[in-house]
Amino acid sequence: MNGFSQISGALKYIDEHLDESVTLDVLSEKFFLSPFYFHKLFSVIVGKSLAAYIRDRRVLYACKQLCNTEKTILDIALDCGFHSAPSFSRTFKEVQGISPREYRAYGYQPVFITADELIMKFTNRLKGGIFLNPNIIKRGTMLIAGAHGDGNKTGEVWNAFERLCKEKPLKNALSENGYEIRVCEGDKCTVYVGYSVPDKDHIDPAYSVFELPASKYASFDVYVSNGYESENNAMDEWLKTNDEGYSERLLNGNAQYCVEYYDERFHGDEANSIVEIWIPIEKNES
């Protein structure tokens, strides 16, 4: 079992034992590594400490239960490995910015990524550049609240969104992971940037809201420092040659679009900075 396989196994183990005490000693012994080396390897592959990862995972599972069950806050806290409702609420607010009760009241729907999807992401990152066997993901309809403008002036649109967030904070954002959606029809290209929100009920009219349709996507991890030109060529080549019979799906049947997703792996222009690019796909008709 190589180091990456051991960390992959640990990610799955953590998800299966979130209601238990999952410690560094437990995991290092289970996966036959010294505690020091396990934690170093885990941090390099996952991009955060073991304690931070377990905390975030417990909160994510709690979000899922808050949205999809009628369990009490205490029951959810215990299910997700917290010892009390107060400690759960404190940690939840640190991660999400609001309390569990507020999260449930707003009716948020978290973006839930399975351990297998995470492993694919980390595999892509370790390979470097772009991984030509993309992760195929499904996403339901999403609302992106933010700003929009000329696709040739993306930086200005992001700046306008950031100013808007300072002036009129977006209170119901599901997270601070960013989305950039480029829609091209003929010679016209429009870019929409912002955060995912559950509904339009708590959004200031100054924000524009783009409805991203439910779709299947080919998800590519791209290193920002390498530039986008070669990666765009690689994605186009995958669309032409993939063995699964996927082709690009158009928006409303006539416009090309793609999504750039900025999560915790994005660090500006730094060498290890990654942006995830989603290409909407559908099966070719036979």
Side-chain angles (χ1 to χ4, degrees):
M1 182 182 288
N2 61 39
F4 188 80
S5 296
Q6 289 162 303
I7 299 304
S8 298
L11 295 180
K12 294 180 180 180
Y13 180 89
I14 290 168
D15 274 2
E16 294 167 358
H17 297 83
L18 286 175
D19 60 337
E20 302 173 13
S21 177
V22 182
T23 66
L24 175 59
D25 287 340
V26 167
L27 290 172
S28 60
E29 181 177 353
K30 182 173 181 62
F31 293 98
F32 310 106
L33 294 170
S34 72
F36 173 81
Y37 185 69
F38 179 93
H39 193 267
K40 183 177 180 180
L41 187 64
F42 187 96
S43 299
V44 168
I45 292 175
V46 178
K48 62 178 70 173
S49 70
L50 175 63
Y53 177 81
I54 293 174
R55 176 204 63 195
D56 292 349
R57 227 34 204 165
R58 283 175 168 157
V59 169
L60 181 60
Y61 270 83
C63 288
K64 188 176 181 182
Q65 292 194 43
L66 286 167
C67 294
N68 300 318
T69 75
E70 295 183 359
K71 290 182 178 180
T72 66
I73 300 296
L74 177 58
D75 285 342
I76 292 174
L78 297 176
D79 284 349
C80 296
F82 295 91
H83 298 302
S84 68
S87 65
F88 166 59
S89 295
R90 284 194 300 271
T91 302
F92 190 96
K93 192 166 185 177
E94 287 175 5
V95 176
Q96 293 293 334
I98 58 175
S99 71
R101 293 187 188 281
E102 290 172 321
Y103 192 95
R104 172 173 271 173
Y106 281 136
Y108 288 156
Q109 288 293 330
V111 177
F112 186 82
I113 302 176
T114 67
D116 285 333
E117 288 178 312
L118 285 172
I119 291 165
M120 178 65 77
K121 289 176 185 289
F122 301 145
T123 302
N124 293 353
R125 182 169 67 185
L126 291 176
K127 286 179 178 294
I130 185 169
F131 188 36
L132 288 184
N133 291 309
N135 193 18
I136 306 301
I137 62 175
K138 292 182 181 179
R139 293 290 181 263
T141 301
M142 299 175 64
L143 296 177
I144 307 301
H148 73 282
D150 187 339
N152 295 316
K153 300 177 179 179
T154 305
E156 293 181 13
V157 179
W158 272 110
N159 289 337
F161 171 61
E162 290 173 1
R163 288 195 300 270
L164 185 57
C165 285
K166 291 179 180 179
E167 295 168 4
K168 301 176 180 180
L170 190 59
K171 296 180 180 179
N172 65 335
L174 293 175
S175 74
E176 291 189 353
N177 291 343
Y179 292 82
E180 178 180 310
I181 304 154
R182 305 186 70 82
V183 180
C184 298
E185 187 173 3
D187 295 331
K188 182 180 179 181
C189 184
T190 304
V191 63
Y192 300 82
V193 306
Y195 297 151
S196 176
V197 295
D199 53 53
K200 301 178 182 180
D201 295 343
H202 305 280
I203 300 174
D204 189 283
Y207 286 88
S208 60
V209 179
F210 181 86
E211 183 173 308
L212 189 63
S215 183
K216 184 177 287 186
Y217 297 92
S219 172
F220 297 87
D221 287 351
V222 174
Y223 277 81
V224 176
S225 60
N226 292 347
Y228 287 90
E229 184 174 353
S230 62
E231 281 77 5
N232 287 336
N233 291 337
M235 287 184 276
D236 288 341
E237 182 65 22
W238 180 85
L239 283 168
K240 294 176 183 177
T241 62
N242 71 88
D243 295 331
E244 294 83 1
Y246 288 117
S247 61
E248 187 173 8
R249 180 186 179 192
L250 300 179
L251 184 66
N252 299 322
N254 57 13
Q256 288 185 304
Y257 73 106
C258 68
V259 181
E260 295 185 14
Y261 176 56
Y262 299 85
D263 60 15
E264 67 277 358
R265 298 171 300 160
F266 178 72
H267 305 288
D269 295 329
E270 294 180 13
N272 65 341
S273 183
I274 291 175
V275 61
E276 191 171 322
I277 297 182
W278 303 352
I279 305 298
I281 54 175
E282 60 188 359
K283 286 283 189 179
N284 292 326
E285 295 183 3
S286 56

